[in-house]
């Protein structure tokens, strides 16, 4: 998901940061740019490189064409012109003649040397800068003559004159405008960041990361989007502020579009200097074209991108559209605050930040440096879980996104109402439930004491490693030496030289456990991202600090770290003393990683057992025991409440004494509280063989329908990330066929319930405008038509 390839030509995702804009002179098309633009940009860069590598006399000749005459007297010639200009186009087989500084100018008769006298003592760097401006001037000159739109032509000509003047004065091009960027606050980028926080902050970190990736796609599309020219827009949109759009179009050309080719001009990202006004002017058309293009090229998308673009992106755009055109949306407020801490979201949360799967649990520590250079990352001392309840007595505002989204989501039969959960949570979120003492009960989780020490700042966790490219960090080197000592003492059968070599190997990293400034334990590992697994090499805690839960908490932090880096499998060779520890941490001898993935990558240890662990990205491992404990408490309270209702004693029925022989079951007091429901109307086939034959015929009709293709098999996790976190009871036509074959459907209601669940799940997971949603509606109509024809329900 992190990689974003260009969306044109059937590529897998939307909005590449490296996509090139359309060349000036191509006209505003209101669409994403094509591959020819990238070729034009590359050609310009190549010509500049060739010119800058030319001999100095050639450079002087080129600059002389744009330099005023410096001869004595009042010569007004502003550029040297050769007496014998080269043929147009120049012949490739003709060798370039030597430059003669004494050659006279065709306009003023003064020599080329008189035009370049001011460049004699200029450095090579400055001359190359001026030559870059020369190439930009020539390119803009071509654009001026090719451009047909009057407004665009005027901007190109103004920039041409500006750059021409910069060469004459040997200055830097500075756009003279009444306003300088940014032109509106908050910027588009900040607004989209605010939107992500405002609407999706309640989601688990994995799902929220999907939203962040969608935001990246969207912002990159805007940065490389061709605006319509003002004349084109006047023909399409009536009753609009034409002067305002023209002003923004001019700014966009000067600061965003042209500088991508003419690098002499300062360049800005569209999303950083424009705000909601420009976004409103492009959003509707842009959204329509992106979704149409996605539908047309859906078959070319790889499976892992298909769901992201066809399902999640339309829903994301629909929600953003409401905020873009709303008059009172809070995301465009300069005072927008988000998060529990009340701090404003950083501007580069979406665009510039690296892809982080679980930002709730890891934050940069004061001593951290880049991971790729052997730095460290430390978890926040007081991690915040997305599953943590609100404080007691604190009610969620009606406008907050969690309740809003919960109300929109269709409720599945059997769901516990949110109001009931909140009511129960209010009775069990007493701070005393987690004692802040070392005297924990026998039922406490193994890592609870270590977690409490981390929250109090007694212990810290850092991922560190040696680096050959960066200046040595004294503290990290001291920690590495401490880790080498811990591993050597706790693993006496391992050669010290071998331990030292791996701990200080730049390819290995170590999650270190620090207490009172010294290392007391760690896990040394090597990541193999291309193979999808990490090898755990050493794992140890110093002897006098064992049996305190440090080992479990250490492994949980390592799991969190790898989920963040999207590596979901561990492999390790465990000796007879370590097998028990690894089993407690979720490792087993059943290796999930295909053998071809790890053979030849990890060393085979004689006398040790290969063990593996598959991580679940939905589990917050460092807080998992707390979450389980709270879930148990919630279930216990719910059971107690249900028992209190069921145990209620109702008075006996007296109507039979009065001669009544029969009453409806539903009239009996308390009968519905037990979960009983009246039997619905409809024809039930008594003969099992007849029912089987009828249901088989209906299922065959449904499977052969042209809109049944999305539901033929179970949804794959790779195609729909997070699907099984949203859909608790999945169903598909293949599963129904297997159930029918095994005679599972003893009544028509079981069959209809499974079929209805397919449609309900689809509509719950996909937005209304998606193709899957439409297929579900059409297939549902077909199904009920066949059910009615078979006489299983009333027409």
């Amino acid at each position: 998901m992190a990689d974003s390839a260009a969306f044109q030509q059937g590529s897998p995702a939307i909005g590449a940061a490296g996509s090139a804009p359309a060349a000036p002179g191509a006209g505003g098309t209101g669409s994403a740019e094509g591959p020819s633009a990238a070729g034009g940009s590359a050609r310009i860069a190549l010509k500049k490189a060739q010119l800058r590598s030319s001999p100095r006399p050639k450079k002087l000749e080129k600059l002389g064409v744009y330099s005023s005459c410096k001869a004595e007297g009042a010569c007004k010639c502003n550029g040297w012109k050769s007496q014998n200009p080269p043929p147009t186009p120049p012949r490739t087989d003709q060798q370039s003649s030597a430059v003669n500084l004494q050659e006279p100018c065709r306009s003023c008769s003064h020599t080329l040397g008189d035009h370049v006298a001011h460049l004699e003592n200029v450095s090579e760097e400055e001359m190359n800068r001026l030559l870059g401006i020369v190439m930009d001037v020539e390119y803009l000159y071509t654009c001026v003559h090719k451009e047909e739109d009057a407004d665009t032509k005027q901007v190109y000509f103004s920039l041409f004159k500006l750059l021409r003047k910069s060469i004459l004065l040997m200055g830097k091009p500075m756009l003279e405008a009444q306003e300088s960027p940014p032109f509106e606050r908050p910027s588009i980028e900040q607004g989209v960041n605010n939107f992500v926080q405002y609407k999706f902050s309640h989601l688990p970190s994995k799902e929220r990361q999907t939203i962040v990736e969608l935001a990246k796609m969207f912002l990159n599309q805007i940065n490389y989007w061709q605006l319509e020219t003002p004349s084109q827009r006047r023909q399409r949109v009536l009753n609009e502020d034409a002067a305002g759009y023209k002003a923004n179009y001019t700014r966009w050309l000067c600061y965003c579009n042209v500088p991508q080719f003419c690098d002499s001009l300062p360049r800005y990202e569209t999303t950083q200097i424009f705000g909601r006004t420009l976004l409103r002017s492009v959003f509707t058309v842009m959204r329509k074209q992106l979704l149409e293009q996605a539908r047309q090229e859906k078959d070319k998308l790889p499976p892992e991108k298909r769901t992201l673009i066809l399902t999640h992106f339309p829903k994301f755009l629909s929600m953003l559209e409401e905020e873009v055109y709303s008059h009172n949306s809070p995301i465009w407020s300069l005072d927008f605050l988000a998060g529990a801490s009340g701090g404003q979201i950083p501007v580069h949360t979406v665009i510039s930040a690296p892809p982080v799967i679980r930002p709730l649990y890891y934050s940069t520590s004061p001593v951290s440096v880049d991971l790729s250079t052997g730095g460290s990352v430390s978890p926040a001392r007081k991690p915040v879980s997305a599953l943590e309840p609100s404080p007691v007595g604190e009610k969620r505002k009606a406008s907050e996104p969690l309740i809003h989204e919960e109300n929109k989501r269709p409720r599945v039969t059997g769901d516990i109402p949110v109001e009931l959960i909140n009511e129960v949570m209010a009775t069990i979120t007493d701070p005393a439930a987690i004692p802040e003492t070392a005297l924990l009960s026998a039922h406490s989780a193994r890592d609870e004491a270590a977690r409490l020490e981390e929250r109090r700042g007694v212990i810290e966790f850092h991922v560190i490693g040696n680096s050959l490219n960066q200046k040595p960090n004294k503290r990290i080197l001291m920690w590495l030496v401490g880790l080498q000592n811990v591993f050597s003492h706790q693993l006496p059968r391992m050669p010290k030289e071998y331990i030292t070599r791996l701990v200080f190997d730049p390819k290995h990293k170590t999650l270190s456990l620090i207490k009172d400034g010294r290392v007391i334990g760690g896990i040394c590992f090597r990541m193999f991202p291309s193979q999808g697994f990490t090898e755990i090499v050493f794992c140890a805690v110093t002897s006098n600090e064992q049996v305190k839960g440090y080992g479990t908490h250490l492994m949980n932090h390592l799991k969190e770290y790898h989920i963040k880096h999207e590596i979901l499998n561990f492999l390790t060779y465990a000796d007879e003393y370590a097998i028990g520890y690894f089993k407690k941490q979720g490792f087993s001898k059943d290796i999930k990683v295909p053998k071809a993935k790890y053979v030849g990558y990890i060393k085979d240890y004689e006398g040790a057992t290969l063990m593996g662990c598959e991580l679940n990205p939905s589990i917050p491992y460092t807080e998992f025991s707390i979450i389980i404990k709270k879930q148990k408490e919630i279930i216990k309270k719910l059971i107690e409440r249900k028992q209190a209702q069921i145990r209620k004693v109702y008075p006996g029925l007296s109507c039979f004494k009065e001669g009544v022989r029969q009453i409806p079951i539903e009239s009996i007091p308390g009968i519905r509280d037990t979960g009983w429901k009246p039997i619905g109307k409809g024809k039930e086939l008594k003969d099992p063989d007849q029912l089987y034959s009828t249901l088989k015929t209906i299922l065959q009709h449904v499977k052969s329908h042209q809109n049944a293709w999305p539901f033929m098999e179970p949804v794959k996790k790779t195609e729909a990330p997070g699907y099984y976190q949203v859909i608790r009871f999945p169903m598909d036509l293949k599963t129904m066929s297997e159930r029918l074959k095994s005679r599972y459907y003893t009544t028509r209601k079981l069959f209809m319930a499974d079929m209805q669940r397919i449609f309900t799940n689809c509509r719950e997971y996909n937005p209304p405008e998606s193709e899957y949603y439409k297929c579900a509606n059409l297939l549902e109509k077909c199904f009920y038509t066949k059910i009615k024809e078979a006489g299983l329900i009333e027409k």
Side-chain angles (χ1 to χ4, degrees):
M1 202 177 302
D3 58 329
S4 302
F7 193 26
Q8 57 263 6
Q9 295 187 336
S11 355
I14 303 176
S19 301
T29 62
S31 63
E33 301 75 25
S36 60
S41 179
R43 285 194 296 272
I44 296 170
L46 180 61
K47 286 182 179 179
K48 286 185 177 182
Q50 291 173 344
L51 183 60
R52 287 165 175 162
S53 63
S54 302
R56 190 176 179 90
K58 274 289 181 184
K59 295 180 180 180
L60 290 173
E61 182 184 33
K62 190 72 173 177
L63 289 171
V65 176
Y66 298 89
S67 301
S68 57
C69 184
K70 304 296 187 298
E72 294 182 3
C75 183
K76 296 182 180 181
C77 178
N78 62 359
W80 179 81
K81 297 174 182 61
S82 175
Q83 296 279 0
N84 302 301
T88 305
R91 290 172 54 187
T92 56
D93 58 343
Q94 189 180 35
Q95 293 186 353
S96 58
S97 57
V99 177
N100 182 8
L101 294 178
Q102 299 304 316
E103 186 177 351
C105 174
R106 193 170 71 240
S107 297
C108 66
S109 300
H110 291 118
T111 65
L112 172 61
D114 291 329
H115 284 80
V116 297
H118 63 296
L119 299 173
E120 289 180 359
N121 299 321
V122 168
S123 66
E124 201 71 11
E125 182 181 352
E126 175 65 9
M127 189 170 288
N128 287 338
R129 185 186 72 83
L130 294 173
L131 287 169
I133 301 178
V134 166
M135 293 298 295
D136 291 343
V137 165
E138 293 179 353
Y139 186 76
L140 281 172
Y141 182 80
T142 304
C143 294
V144 169
H145 287 276
K146 287 184 176 181
E147 183 57 50
E148 296 177 358
D149 179 75
D151 296 315
T152 310
K153 184 190 286 281
Q154 184 180 0
V155 175
Y156 290 159
F157 186 67
S158 299
L159 295 175
F160 166 81
K161 290 194 297 183
L162 171 68
L163 294 180
R164 183 79 172 78
K165 184 179 179 182
S166 298
I167 301 172
L168 287 172
L169 302 178
M170 296 179 64
K172 292 185 178 181
M174 296 296 292
L175 293 167
E176 297 178 1
Q178 294 180 350
E179 293 181 78
S180 58
F183 304 112
E184 188 175 2
R185 293 180 184 275
S187 65
I188 297 173
E189 180 181 305
Q190 182 64 64
V192 172
N193 273 282
N194 293 347
F195 167 73
V196 170
Q197 185 70 12
Y198 174 56
K199 286 290 186 182
F200 305 103
S201 61
H202 66 282
L203 291 178
S205 53
K206 184 69 175 179
E207 284 75 13
R208 192 172 186 275
Q209 180 60 24
T210 300
I211 301 300
V212 171
E213 293 301 323
L214 294 174
K216 285 183 181 180
M217 292 181 187
F218 177 74
L219 291 175
N220 280 326
Q221 278 296 304
I222 297 177
N223 283 332
Y224 298 106
W225 193 261
Q226 280 297 109
L227 297 188
E228 296 172 293
T229 63
S231 57
Q232 289 174 330
R233 187 167 182 82
R234 280 194 296 269
Q235 295 174 7
R236 190 178 63 82
V237 182
L238 302 176
N239 303 323
E240 190 194 52
D241 181 13
Y245 180 81
K246 183 178 179 180
N248 274 338
Y249 178 77
T250 302
R251 293 164 175 166
W252 172 77
L253 280 176
C254 293
Y255 291 97
C256 305
N257 183 258
V258 175
Q260 294 185 65
F261 287 86
C262 302
D263 57 13
S264 309
L265 295 167
R267 179 178 177 269
Y268 297 85
E269 296 286 3
T270 305
T271 55
Q272 293 180 356
I273 63 173
F274 292 96
R276 179 162 58 163
T277 303
L278 181 74
L279 183 59
R280 280 180 167 178
S281 66
V282 302
F283 191 95
T284 304
V285 174
M286 181 177 170
R287 176 178 181 269
K288 181 180 179 181
Q289 291 188 16
L290 287 178
L291 296 182
E292 182 61 28
Q293 195 170 356
R295 283 190 288 268
Q296 291 175 358
E297 299 181 355
K298 64 180 180 181
D299 295 331
K300 301 177 184 178
L301 299 173
E304 64 270 17
K305 299 292 183 184
R306 191 175 297 150
T307 303
L308 186 70
I309 294 175
L310 294 181
T311 302
H312 298 300
F313 199 57
K315 189 172 183 179
F316 175 88
L317 292 178
S318 297
M319 295 179 69
L320 179 58
E321 187 175 32
E322 294 179 10
E323 303 302 320
V324 169
Y325 294 104
S326 171
H327 294 291
N328 55 0
S329 173
I331 70 172
W332 303 106
S333 170
L334 288 173
D335 299 322
F336 178 86
L337 298 177
S341 61
Q344 192 164 2
I345 304 302
V347 173
H348 295 288
T349 299
V350 172
I351 282 288
S352 301
V356 176
I357 296 291
R358 304 171 81 77
L360 294 173
Y361 298 99
Y362 278 83
S363 65
T364 307
S365 68
V367 297
S368 68
V369 288
D370 194 332
L371 285 171
S372 61
T373 58
S376 68
V377 167
S378 174
R381 291 184 179 176
K382 294 187 178 180
V384 181
S385 169
L387 302 176
E388 291 273 356
S390 301
V392 180
E394 181 178 329
K395 295 184 179 179
R396 185 178 290 276
K397 297 178 182 178
S399 61
E400 290 190 20
L402 179 60
I403 300 301
H404 175 69
E405 292 300 318
E406 190 66 38
N407 290 337
K408 289 174 64 178
R409 184 173 68 86
R411 185 160 297 284
V412 178
T413 303
D415 273 0
I416 300 172
V418 177
E419 296 76 14
L420 178 58
I421 293 292
N422 291 337
E423 185 180 341
V424 171
M425 288 299 299
T427 66
I428 61 175
T429 50
D430 186 0
I434 305 178
E436 289 288 332
T437 67
L439 302 175
L440 299 171
S441 70
H443 302 289
S444 299
R446 286 190 300 271
D447 61 336
E448 192 158 339
R451 187 188 303 110
L452 293 174
E453 287 191 10
E454 185 185 9
R455 288 182 176 178
R456 292 197 297 265
V458 177
I459 59 174
E460 298 176 2
F461 295 86
H462 299 271
V463 175
I464 62 175
N466 192 20
S467 173
L468 301 178
N469 302 320
Q470 296 290 320
K471 185 179 179 181
N473 183 303
K474 184 178 179 181
R475 179 177 293 187
I476 291 176
L477 290 177
M478 291 295 292
W479 284 346
L480 288 173
V481 172
L483 286 164
Q484 187 266 348
N485 290 332
V486 170
F487 292 144
S488 297
H489 282 92
Q490 300 304 126
L491 307 170
R493 292 193 290 180
M494 282 285 179
K496 291 185 178 180
E497 296 80 4
Y498 178 69
I499 293 175
T500 304
R501 178 163 63 84
L502 293 190
V503 169
F504 285 87
D505 183 353
K507 295 178 182 177
H508 288 70
K509 290 184 173 64
T510 306
L511 174 61
S512 56
L513 171 57
I514 312 298
K515 185 174 184 178
D516 299 327
R518 62 186 179 87
V519 176
I520 64 168
I523 301 177
C524 181
F525 60 94
R526 180 174 177 181
M527 303 167 76
F528 294 92
S530 63
Q531 305 305 109
F533 76 90
T534 281
E535 180 190 17
I536 295 178
V537 186
F538 306 124
C539 177
V541 175
T542 189
S543 55
N544 61 338
E545 296 287 357
Q546 292 178 5
V547 202
K548 295 183 179 180
Y550 291 152
T552 297
H553 204 43
L554 196 62
M555 184 61 73
N556 286 340
H557 271 299
L558 188 68
K559 291 176 180 177
E560 286 283 339
Y561 177 82
H562 278 78
I563 288 173
K564 188 180 82 167
H565 287 80
E566 298 182 315
I567 297 178
L568 303 180
N569 282 284
F570 287 157
L571 291 178
T572 188
Y573 275 96
D575 60 24
E576 55 184 318
Y577 303 105
I579 289 177
Y581 164 77
F582 281 110
K583 279 186 177 180
K584 291 177 182 178
Q585 308 310 319
F587 286 72
S588 74
K589 299 175 185 178
D590 180 19
I591 309 301
K592 302 294 185 182
V593 182
K595 197 170 184 179
K597 288 281 188 180
Y598 65 83
V599 170
Y601 285 85
I602 63 176
K603 184 178 178 180
D604 190 359
Y605 293 90
E606 186 178 350
T609 303
L610 181 62
M611 302 184 73
C613 177
E614 186 177 22
L615 305 182
N616 186 331
S618 301
I619 296 177
Y621 285 96
T622 53
E623 300 292 315
F624 191 52
S625 58
I626 289 181
I627 294 169
I628 295 298
K629 182 179 179 181
K630 288 181 178 176
Q631 287 178 344
K632 287 180 178 178
E633 291 172 344
I634 292 172
I635 293 171
K636 182 181 176 182
K637 290 287 184 181
L638 290 172
I639 291 173
E640 290 174 357
R641 287 181 173 228
K642 194 67 177 176
Q643 286 177 339
Q645 294 173 0
I646 294 174
R647 288 171 181 167
K648 184 178 179 180
V649 178
Y650 292 88
L653 297 173
S654 59
C655 58
F656 298 111
K657 294 180 179 180
E658 300 170 2
V660 175
R661 302 296 300 272
Q662 185 178 354
I663 63 170
I665 295 177
E666 57 266 27
S667 68
I668 300 175
I671 193 71
R672 289 184 182 272
D673 294 339
T674 65
W676 177 89
K677 293 181 181 178
I679 300 175
K681 296 181 179 180
K683 179 183 177 182
E684 193 68 71
L685 298 177
K686 302 290 184 181
D687 184 3
D689 292 332
Q690 184 185 356
L691 177 65
Y692 173 81
S693 177
T694 303
L695 297 183
K696 183 178 180 181
T697 302
I698 294 172
L699 187 58
Q700 288 297 335
H701 278 296
V702 172
K703 291 171 68 176
S704 61
H705 195 274
Q706 62 179 359
N707 292 299
W709 60 269
F711 316 110
M712 296 300 290
E713 293 186 347
V715 176
K716 297 178 181 177
K717 292 181 180 180
T718 55
E719 295 181 0
Y723 181 84
Y724 291 97
Q725 279 73 43
V726 178
I727 303 303
R728 298 194 301 165
F729 305 105
M731 185 51 60
D732 60 276
L733 296 176
K734 181 180 179 182
T735 302
M736 288 190 66
S737 297
E738 293 170 353
R739 287 187 170 188
L740 181 64
K741 189 176 180 180
S742 64
R743 302 295 178 119
Y744 168 82
Y745 297 117
T746 55
T747 67
R748 63 179 174 84
K749 289 185 178 180
L750 286 172
F751 180 80
M752 293 175 64
D754 275 357
M755 186 67 74
Q756 186 60 51
R757 186 165 293 283
I758 293 177
F759 309 134
T760 303
N761 289 347
C762 179
R763 286 191 285 258
E764 182 176 354
Y765 186 75
N766 300 291
E769 62 268 27
S770 70
E771 191 169 1
Y772 303 117
Y773 197 104
K774 295 173 184 175
C775 286
N777 289 342
L778 295 171
L779 192 62
E780 185 179 33
K781 290 180 181 178
C782 167
F783 168 66
Y784 279 102
T785 300
K786 296 300 177 184
I787 283 285
K788 290 176 182 177
E789 290 176 358
L792 296 183
I793 61 173
E794 295 178 353
K795 296 184 179 180

